Amino acid sequence: MSEFSQMLSKFIKERDTNIYMLAKYCNYDRANMYKLTSGKRNAPDLPFVKKLAEYMHLSPDEEKQLIEKYKISVVGYETYYRRKNIEEFLSEFAFAETALSMAQIDFRIDMESGKNIILKNSHDIDSILIHMFTAEMKCEHGKIQMLVQPEIDGLSNVLNLCGHGEGNLRIDHIVRLSNKPDYMEGEKLYNLECLKKILPYYNYNYDYNTWYYYGDISANSYEFTMFPYMILTSEFGCLLTADMKNGYLISEPEMLEQMRNNFCRQQKQSRKLINCVENIAEQFETVGNMVVTKYSGYGLQDDPCVMAFLEDELIQKYVAPQMEHREILVQMTTEYCRCLANQDVTYIFSMEGILNFLKTGIITELDPALYIPPILEDRVRIVEKILENGTRLLKFPMSDRKTYMNLYVTSEHGLLRIALPEKKVFLDIILEESELLHSFYDYCESMEEELFYEKDEAEKIVRGEVEKIRTNHK
């Protein structure tokens, strides 16, 4: 018996619902309704489930639960939660807006008690890590090497606490990703949760770099490893237990050298997870190389990817006239836009993003210094081309739009781009990690029809907005 049938039967019993009347209301055979409640048949579709909820007067929360169980019964537990995890990542991810204060943490510890110090609790560990980070930040070429899982809260707090100071501390961080497809902890896709933990570190005042390798993430994989985690600075090495409650601080030069050699060996066997794009030439090269493919794909973002729909004439017209080496930038932009336009991509934007572009002419994938916002008639021309292309428009934005994020993905490769508000650069996450790639592609391919406007309805809304803007400009 499926969880959906169990929940449906529970609601029917609680409300003393007449099966015959319920079946009649839903225009469904009574015999099949009995099979539905006994788990011998699944509900025909989502509208049917909503009619069940309507007849039984379910609360919004109860209806949401019933719909969730129905979706699980259709696609399976792992697929449902994988898609839900991707949706939550795209809609809810945001960089932390506040930093912890040094005053919030007491990090006093006796550093003179000897070359090596036993760390007996999480307070000792937090204190020593803060000392290690702040001391290294004062070095001219400070560098920290970390072999530790990103979901550790203590590590996140220390990185937040120390990540808003002066200096340009380099951090090399090696993480272990799950080698099991769709591995979850508490209905959360483990590898995606690692990515969510890592991304905010790039927005701090570090030169932060991440490498990954595959391994077993199950709870007992660290059971017989005394110190699976390691953090190194120029002066100290810190070995830590998996629960971050015990550790060992080392300052002997020979031991530190051996620990650094071990880290470098592990780093050579790992792959870089994320690249930081700092200028327009790198942006064009990274995305251009990624989209040249024989595979069809998806482009998903709230604001429209205007570059894919710019004609040569408009590029020449709107590249900022004061730009140094302007003609070179025009040529690069033209080649890049042609490359995007020639790919087999189904674009998915939000209606809110389209209307915002119509009002402002802001091209979110470009630095504002590089272009002049197009005039209204050219904005209309661009949007008309977007609609003609078969672009799908979401009824609601994916996120609150505080974090700029766009996704390009095929079945073979993908690129997740996120803007860093503090550093004013882009993070490019090359989706080579197979599970993440499959998860993002599957999400785009399986988005439900009810999320989108019909083509005629979308065109009507856009025409209405254009007329409103024109009226206001008169």
Side-chain angles (χ1 to χ4, degrees):
M1 189 172 184
S2 70
E3 292 184 3
F4 170 76
S5 295
Q6 289 177 339
M7 181 167 284
L8 176 60
S9 297
K10 172 177 171 287
F11 287 143
I12 288 173
K13 184 176 180 181
E14 288 176 350
R15 285 160 173 76
D16 196 23
T17 303
N18 184 291
I19 294 289
Y20 173 75
M21 296 304 295
L22 177 62
K24 186 176 181 181
Y25 181 83
C26 297
N27 195 27
Y28 198 60
D29 181 73
R30 181 172 60 173
N32 286 335
M33 185 65 77
Y34 279 111
K35 290 179 181 178
L36 189 62
T37 58
S38 64
K40 296 178 181 179
R41 178 182 288 269
N42 202 10
D45 53 33
L46 185 57
F48 175 83
V49 177
K50 291 182 177 181
K51 289 199 76 172
L52 291 173
E54 184 179 303
Y55 182 82
M56 292 186 291
H57 297 166
L58 299 187
S59 69
D61 187 57
E62 289 172 330
E63 181 177 354
K64 182 179 178 182
Q65 292 176 40
L66 187 64
I67 288 173
E68 181 174 78
K69 296 302 184 185
Y70 163 71
K71 290 180 178 179
I72 291 173
S73 71
V74 173
V75 301
Y77 178 91
E78 290 183 348
T79 298
Y80 172 78
Y81 279 105
R82 182 181 66 241
R83 291 172 181 173
K84 185 177 180 180
N85 276 223
I86 294 294
E87 180 178 345
E88 289 175 350
F89 173 81
L90 293 172
S91 62
E92 298 175 6
F93 177 81
F95 292 105
E97 296 182 357
T98 58
L100 297 175
S101 167
M102 284 286 189
Q104 292 175 255
I105 298 180
D106 172 18
F107 56 91
R108 291 171 295 175
I109 193 166
D110 182 7
M111 299 298 296
E112 305 299 327
S113 60
K115 289 186 177 181
N116 303 324
I117 300 175
I118 296 174
L119 307 173
K120 299 178 181 179
N121 52 55
S122 56
H123 175 269
D124 283 356
I125 290 171
D126 288 347
S127 299
I128 206 65
L129 290 181
I130 292 168
H131 177 92
M132 291 170 64
F133 272 68
T134 53
E136 198 68 17
M137 290 174 75
K138 297 174 183 176
C139 299
E140 184 177 356
H141 301 292
K143 182 177 181 180
I144 293 179
Q145 297 166 308
M146 304 195 305
L147 182 61
V148 58
Q149 290 305 93
E151 71 267 21
I152 304 298
D153 289 335
L155 175 66
S156 299
N157 292 336
V158 171
L159 287 166
N160 184 338
L161 183 69
C162 301
H164 302 272
E166 299 296 325
N168 190 33
L169 181 65
R170 178 181 175 91
I171 297 179
D172 292 324
H173 188 180
I174 301 175
V175 302
R176 179 192 294 190
L177 297 182
S178 174
N179 58 3
K180 298 177 182 177
D182 290 343
Y183 177 75
M184 293 188 184
E185 289 188 350
E187 299 178 351
K188 296 293 184 181
L189 201 60
Y190 181 83
N191 289 353
L192 185 65
E193 288 300 300
C194 285
L195 182 62
K196 287 167 68 174
K197 283 284 188 179
I198 287 167
L199 286 174
Y201 304 156
Y202 283 86
N203 202 38
Y204 298 153
N205 194 23
Y206 301 125
D207 176 12
Y208 183 80
N209 303 273
T210 317
W211 281 261
Y212 74 94
Y213 69 99
Y214 291 112
D216 183 11
I217 301 296
S218 59
N220 62 0
S221 62
Y222 296 121
E223 188 173 352
F224 299 107
T225 305
M226 185 175 293
F227 296 118
Y229 299 155
M230 176 173 68
I231 298 177
L232 299 167
T233 68
S234 56
E235 291 185 90
F236 302 102
C238 193
L239 299 175
L240 300 164
T241 56
D243 59 8
M244 295 282 283
K245 291 183 179 179
N246 295 279
Y248 198 61
L249 183 69
I250 297 168
S251 59
E252 295 177 10
E254 290 184 3
M255 285 287 292
L256 288 176
E257 186 63 25
Q258 183 176 350
M259 292 166 73
R260 290 192 189 98
N261 290 339
N262 289 341
F263 183 91
C264 290
R265 277 196 295 272
Q266 182 68 64
Q267 188 174 358
K268 288 178 181 177
Q269 298 174 47
S270 304
R271 305 174 74 177
K272 198 163 186 181
L273 183 62
I274 298 172
N275 291 309
C276 192
V277 177
E278 299 185 0
N279 58 60
I280 193 67
E282 288 185 16
Q283 176 182 341
F284 286 174
E285 181 180 5
T286 302
V287 180
N289 290 340
M290 182 60 62
V291 301
V292 178
T293 175
K294 62 183 180 180
Y295 301 100
S296 61
Y298 296 92
L300 173 63
Q301 59 192 75
D302 274 328
D303 294 315
C305 177
V306 174
M307 305 287 283
F309 303 94
L310 284 182
E311 298 169 357
D312 295 0
E313 169 202 341
L314 296 179
I315 296 169
Q316 181 67 46
K317 184 176 180 180
Y318 291 113
V319 169
Q322 76 279 7
M323 287 296 300
E324 188 177 359
H325 308 302
R326 182 180 186 275
E327 288 309 311
I328 295 176
L329 179 59
V330 168
Q331 181 180 350
M332 286 172 51
T333 307
T334 301
E335 292 174 357
Y336 174 73
C337 292
R338 287 175 180 173
C339 178
L340 292 179
N342 289 333
Q343 303 311 308
D344 182 12
V345 180
T346 299
Y347 285 102
I348 301 171
F349 309 139
S350 72
M351 176 61 78
E352 183 178 301
I354 289 286
L355 299 183
N356 187 61
F357 172 71
L358 277 172
K359 293 174 185 175
T360 66
I362 293 174
I363 302 174
T364 51
E365 65 256 51
L366 284 180
D367 185 328
L370 297 178
Y371 71 98
I372 302 169
I375 63 173
L376 177 60
E377 292 310 312
D378 286 332
R379 300 199 298 264
V380 172
R381 178 174 158 191
I382 292 167
V383 170
E384 286 176 346
K385 191 170 181 181
I386 289 174
L387 295 177
E388 290 169 3
N389 184 67
T391 299
R392 310 199 72 188
L393 296 185
L394 293 163
K395 295 177 181 177
F396 303 100
M398 294 186 300
S399 67
D400 59 10
R401 303 182 55 187
K402 290 181 180 179
T403 302
Y404 171 78
M405 181 186 298
N406 68 56
L407 172 69
Y408 172 80
V409 63
T410 73
S411 59
E412 298 297 317
H413 55 245
L415 175 71
L416 180 66
R417 166 164 288 177
I418 301 176
L420 295 181
E422 294 293 326
K423 296 184 178 180
K424 297 182 179 179
V425 296
F426 289 112
L427 279 185
D428 276 352
I429 305 167
I430 308 298
L431 297 173
E432 294 178 337
E433 198 282 307
S434 57
E435 181 214 309
L436 289 176
L437 173 64
H438 168 68
S439 297
F440 280 105
Y441 183 77
D442 172 71
Y443 175 78
C444 291
E445 197 170 45
S446 63
M447 292 180 76
E448 296 171 352
E449 289 298 321
E450 64 179 20
L451 297 174
F452 300 98
Y453 285 105
E454 295 289 342
K455 187 174 185 295
D456 292 345
E457 186 181 6
E459 290 175 349
K460 182 179 179 181
I461 293 171
V462 169
R463 284 195 300 270
E465 186 63 28
V466 169
E467 291 306 314
K468 187 189 301 182
I469 296 172
R470 282 176 174 156
T471 300
N472 292 338
H473 280 205
K474 289 180 181 178

